[in-house]
Amino acid sequence: MKKVLLSTALLCSALIVFAQEEKKQEDYYELSLEDLMNIPINSASKKDETLFDAPLSSYTITKGEIEKSGATSIMEALRLAPGVIVREQTNGNYDIHIRGFDNLLGYSSQYSKSNLTTLVMINDRPVFNNNLGGTFWEALSIDVNDVERIEIVRGPSAPLFGPNAVTGVINIITKKFTEKTTVNASVQYGSPATLLANATVGSKVNEKVQIGASANYQKRERFDDLYYNQVTGVYGPTAATAQYPDQNIAMDKYGVNAFASYAASDKLSFDLTLGAQESQVQKAFIGTTSGSPLTTNITRSQSANLQAKIYGLNVRTSYLNGKDDLNFRSAPNRYNQQVVDFVAEYEVKVNDKINVVPGISYQYVNFGDADYLADGAVFLAGKDVTIKTSSAFIRTDIKATENWRILAAGRADKFSTPDDIYFAYEFATTYKINAKNLIRAAVTQSNSGSFIGNNFLDLNILVPNGAAPGITINYIRQGNNDMKLFTVNMTELGFRSQLTKSIQLDLDVFLQQAKNMNALIFRGPNGTFTGPYPNVIERFEDIDTKATQTGATLSLNWVPNEKIQFKPFATVQKTTLENAYTAFNLSASIEDRDHENTPSIYGGYYFNYKASNKININSSAYFFGSQRQYDVNDIDNNSEAGDIKGKLLLNLKINYALTSDFSVFVNARNLLNADSYEFYGADKTGGLYMAGLSFNMN
């Protein structure tokens, strides 16, 4: 806390100094019609282009849309994008999926409900969790004040970005400092007790050098004061008070960042980003020994990311050092981690129509829990374990004719564990029928990365046998170095049209198939003893479940004039399972069934109206259909916690500009207080009503 107070004080001091200079505010509300219609993206092909020309199903959320909408975090801002499922667990903590290829195994561990298969990046730096997969969003050091735009690519994208881009990519691009002085700051407070504050200062020192710094802080109270008990099947107070240092707190986090860039020329430049964060949240990830899905998670980390462009050679290298506590005061829970990531690629311009980009990458991941042996059981048996991944890739972009574009990419990843090579590929094409209509198609395959927990789990836990009082069982949980990696194949067709000067349409239809799943299989007593205790084994193993998903996403962008913008979107989809397990033990039966954990329809809209030079009104909405979430403790699939009703959330932000720099606003999230459950065993998430002050100066 001392760090965040110091950082905030320094930033506020800088704000006061810079505020003495009379500079015009960067006005997010003064975008031209052309800007509103021609949104940029890079992540769809790793080439700067507009969304209209992008070869894959993709979307960009701009900093202006985030600011106008009132989204209180990067996580919540993703509700502005089509094809993304965003469900709130506790105040400010979300589970986020692209197209909802989640919890495919149904009756499995709590963590598998979370999204483990989407690659999240900050400026192309992967920030996924190397323990079990997925993203710890609360562990990002940046916040909405740092964002220039968020780019989303729906569908497998490993050939462009590496393993874990299995169901898609979310790439968060941070701001550049292009003015002599940049100052952005915002603070808002509301009910339930929620304080959000952030600030950014930066400067274009000269034509070659930019520097900046930022800080952010969030403290959010829960919407609910109850915990779901998976043993009794009811919500109520918890007896496990030691595991919740503050039962009222949903999130308490801060992050600080520093940015520096040097551009000697168009062909020679360097960008350095440093970040540090600390967070404490309650969310549904591991589950507690008391039977509640909610745990207190604590993370601390520091990171550095260096990007360089050197005469056609693009290099990025990053380092992360951190500590995670996934279940406070309930061993096994803690580990230390180090991650080193390196990528180098070189662009070869064959001619005016053909570009080829070969490259290599290397990742080193080290986890260890020896420091925590004295505190109880540890999940790696006190060892340091490492996964190394070496990769080679190539992509090409061909302009076959004036209207026909072809993209192809391939990637080979050699993992140290499992000791195997995986291949990913992507073929995409676009054809401009005319200046206003474009069709596209893609065929892709991507695989996940290799994770520490799945490979190296080595855990012994003494558990009382509820069926036989007085008898204690030693549960042995084991990883498996030889499992196959989760893989998704996709076929996609799309159509974009400039229906009129002010209306754009984007439609995509997709077929996805998933294979190579694994689960922690209960193998029963093995006839051996640890001291006086009989041993029971659970082990990660491959299973032959397959999933097929079909669906379509439709989105519109209507900008009748520079005062109004309306962007509705919706996705419909269906997922079916083949050889789905009814439980994860040796005697379990298998069946083919519809997968009900993912909503079959979801979407929303973004509407902005600039009423005058001083008043801006923004309304946004997000909805999803009903779903049935499964759990390993809910074999009969009838628990209250798994019955997720359909939900519509309406948001409203009204901003009033006091001066060219200062604004006041009111911000209502879930305006109608639709206080229902959105995730298995989590809180009833209701309305958040806030008021605040912002300062923006360039």
Side-chain angles (χ1 to χ4, degrees):
M1 189 61 188
K2 291 180 180 178
K3 292 180 180 178
V4 72
L5 290 175
L6 176 60
S7 301
T8 304
L10 290 172
L11 287 170
C12 289
S13 299
L15 188 154
I16 293 170
V17 171
F18 286 133
Q20 305 307 311
E21 304 179 27
E22 292 189 7
K23 299 286 183 181
K24 187 179 184 301
Q25 174 188 4
E26 177 187 3
D27 194 344
Y28 299 127
Y29 307 99
E30 290 287 356
L31 296 177
S32 68
L33 183 65
E34 184 179 0
D35 290 335
L36 293 171
M37 297 296 289
N38 296 300
I39 305 298
I41 192 168
N42 177 275
S43 300
S45 64
K46 302 201 78 172
K47 177 181 178 180
D48 291 336
E49 55 195 338
T50 67
L51 273 176
F52 189 86
D53 293 322
L56 299 175
S57 295
S58 50
Y59 196 80
T60 296
I61 306 169
T62 67
K63 63 181 178 182
E65 290 171 337
I66 296 172
E67 169 75 12
K68 295 172 193 174
S69 72
T72 61
S73 69
I74 293 173
M75 291 178 279
E76 189 193 357
L78 289 166
R79 282 182 162 165
L80 300 173
V84 183
I85 299 173
V86 184
R87 293 172 290 200
E88 193 169 15
Q89 298 182 348
T90 60
N91 185 5
N93 295 298
Y94 297 82
D95 183 56
I96 297 166
H97 297 260
I98 293 180
R99 291 178 174 165
F101 242 16
D102 56 305
N103 197 19
L104 293 172
L105 302 183
Y107 307 102
S108 55
S109 302
Q110 176 71 32
Y111 78 90
S112 69
K113 295 179 186 59
S114 302
N115 183 356
L116 309 178
T117 58
T118 295
L119 178 61
V120 178
M121 302 182 294
I122 301 174
N123 297 327
D124 292 341
R125 174 177 72 90
V127 291
F128 56 84
N129 167 27
N130 290 283
N131 181 14
L132 293 166
T135 300
F136 288 177
W137 289 92
E138 70 276 11
L140 304 188
S141 62
I142 63 170
D143 198 8
V144 287
N145 57 303
D146 297 301
V147 174
E148 176 68 24
R149 63 184 187 271
I150 304 173
E151 300 181 347
I152 299 105
V153 179
R154 303 188 293 269
S157 302
L160 298 185
F161 295 102
N164 300 300
V166 188
T167 57
V169 169
I170 298 171
N171 194 8
I172 305 165
I173 312 298
T174 58
K175 293 176 180 176
K176 296 291 186 181
F177 302 101
T178 57
E179 303 294 335
K180 181 66 176 177
T181 302
T182 298
V183 181
N184 308 125
S186 175
V187 61
Q188 53 186 313
Y189 182 80
S191 175
T194 298
L195 173 64
L196 309 176
N198 55 61
T200 302
V201 295
S203 176
K204 184 177 180 180
V205 178
N206 54 45
E207 292 303 314
K208 295 182 179 181
V209 177
Q210 299 178 23
I211 58 172
S214 72
N216 57 81
Y217 179 67
Q218 297 187 46
K219 189 167 186 178
R220 299 173 182 253
E221 190 174 276
R222 291 176 63 200
F223 293 106
D224 212 339
D225 59 358
L226 303 177
Y227 292 86
Y228 180 70
N229 188 311
Q230 296 177 107
V231 178
T232 63
V234 298
Y235 285 88
T238 180
T241 55
Q243 294 178 241
Y244 305 101
D246 190 334
Q247 294 187 32
N248 294 320
I249 294 298
M251 174 181 287
D252 189 354
K253 75 177 292 285
Y254 77 86
V256 292
N257 304 276
F259 311 93
S261 64
Y262 173 76
S265 67
D266 292 340
K267 296 183 178 181
L268 181 63
S269 63
F270 301 88
D271 289 276
L272 175 66
T273 303
L274 305 175
Q277 66 81 32
E278 183 170 334
S279 69
Q280 175 183 309
V281 301
Q282 288 191 62
K283 67 178 186 178
F285 185 65
I286 294 293
T288 68
T289 55
S290 65
S292 173
L294 287 184
T295 57
T296 299
N297 288 29
I298 297 174
T299 67
R300 300 178 184 88
S301 63
Q302 306 81 42
S303 62
N305 187 49
L306 176 64
Q307 294 175 290
K309 295 182 179 180
I310 308 170
Y311 296 95
L313 176 66
N314 294 328
V315 178
R316 184 191 57 76
T317 184
S318 63
Y319 174 75
L320 179 138
N321 180 283
K323 302 174 184 288
D324 289 347
D325 186 342
L326 304 185
N327 192 349
F328 184 70
R329 290 180 182 167
S330 180
N333 50 10
R334 291 186 284 176
Y335 56 83
N336 303 329
Q337 60 171 318
Q338 295 184 73
V339 180
V340 178
D341 197 79
F342 172 81
V343 179
E345 58 183 43
Y346 185 77
E347 183 176 1
V348 180
K349 190 171 183 179
V350 179
N351 54 43
D352 291 340
K353 295 184 177 182
I354 301 175
N355 280 8
V356 179
V357 181
I360 58 172
S361 69
Y362 176 78
Q363 186 181 75
Y364 169 91
V365 176
N366 177 267
F367 274 48
D369 55 13
D371 292 347
Y372 312 110
L373 277 168
D375 300 328
V378 289
F379 78 101
L380 297 175
K383 301 187 297 288
D384 271 20
V385 296
T386 299
I387 295 176
K388 301 175 183 178
T389 308
S390 302
S391 310
F393 56 87
I394 189 169
R395 65 178 185 272
T396 184
D397 193 335
I398 303 171
K399 190 173 183 180
T401 69
E402 187 65 28
N403 295 327
W404 184 23
R405 180 183 177 193
I406 302 170
L407 298 95
R411 182 183 181 96
D413 294 293
K414 171 63 174 68
F415 298 92
S416 61
T417 307
D419 184 10
D420 205 350
I421 298 175
Y422 277 76
F423 295 96
Y425 60 80
E426 174 183 301
F427 299 99
T429 185
T430 66
Y431 184 78
K432 278 192 173 182
I433 302 171
N434 51 46
K436 295 183 178 181
N437 296 280
L438 177 145
I439 56 175
R440 64 184 190 276
V443 178
T444 65
Q445 174 178 291
S446 294
N447 55 271
S448 77
S450 182
F451 301 120
I452 295 290
N454 298 18
N455 288 287
F456 298 107
L457 180 64
D458 187 359
L459 173 65
N460 289 12
I461 302 180
L462 296 177
V463 179
N465 186 349
I471 302 297
T472 299
I473 297 174
N474 181 45
Y475 272 93
I476 301 174
R477 293 178 178 171
Q478 300 173 334
N480 185 343
N481 292 340
D482 297 321
M483 289 185 300
K484 297 176 181 178
L485 298 180
F486 181 68
T487 302
V488 172
N489 292 76
M490 181 192 73
T491 301
E492 179 181 84
L493 298 174
F495 172 67
R496 294 191 183 102
S497 178
Q498 187 80 39
L499 297 176
T500 70
K501 182 180 179 181
S502 61
I503 301 177
Q504 286 180 350
L505 174 147
D506 192 352
L507 170 68
D508 61 76
V509 295
F510 54 89
L511 168 66
Q512 298 191 118
Q513 296 176 306
K515 61 182 180 179
N516 296 350
M517 302 180 206
N518 60 70
L520 197 60
I521 304 295
F522 178 80
R523 304 191 64 84
N526 69 343
T528 64
F529 287 79
T530 299
Y533 307 119
N535 293 327
V536 170
I537 290 182
E538 291 179 308
R539 187 170 186 259
F540 273 107
E541 296 184 13
D542 291 320
I543 59 175
D544 59 356
T545 301
K546 295 180 176 63
T548 300
Q549 183 184 75
T550 56
T553 296
L554 175 67
S555 60
L556 292 172
N557 183 14
W558 179 45
V559 189
N561 53 57
E562 294 179 2
K563 290 182 176 290
I564 294 175
Q565 184 175 29
F566 181 51
K567 302 174 78 172
F569 51 88
T571 298
V572 293
Q573 61 190 35
K574 181 178 181 179
T575 305
T576 58
L577 300 176
E578 178 185 345
N579 297 330
Y581 284 58
T582 57
F584 287 101
N585 56 55
L586 296 178
S587 60
S589 60
I590 60 174
E591 62 186 13
D592 296 344
R593 65 168 184 259
D594 290 341
H595 179 53
E596 298 177 351
N597 184 75
T598 297
S600 59
I601 183 170
Y602 54 96
Y605 72 78
Y606 167 94
F607 175 79
N608 194 77
Y609 173 55
K610 184 180 178 183
S612 70
N613 289 333
K614 290 185 175 292
I615 299 174
N616 193 86
I617 301 171
N618 188 280
S619 172
S620 63
Y622 185 79
F623 71 89
F624 55 74
S626 62
Q627 62 224 254
R628 179 81 221 177
Q629 292 193 345
Y630 311 97
D631 190 76
V632 67
N633 297 295
D634 185 21
I635 301 302
D636 295 329
N637 189 27
N638 60 6
S639 70
E640 178 186 357
D643 186 16
I644 309 299
K645 306 293 187 184
K647 191 169 187 177
L648 170 65
L649 301 105
L650 294 174
N651 308 308
L652 178 68
K653 180 183 178 183
I654 302 175
N655 188 88
Y656 181 79
L658 296 171
T659 69
S660 61
D661 296 329
F662 283 98
S663 296
V664 294
F665 58 86
V666 291
N667 190 11
R669 321 308 298 167
N670 189 2
L671 176 66
L672 302 181
N673 192 35
D675 60 344
S676 60
Y677 302 107
E678 299 181 22
F679 200 83
Y680 181 92
D683 286 353
K684 285 186 176 181
T685 55
L688 178 63
Y689 309 103
M690 311 189 75
L693 173 70
S694 65
F695 177 88
N696 293 295
M697 182 184 69
N698 269 1

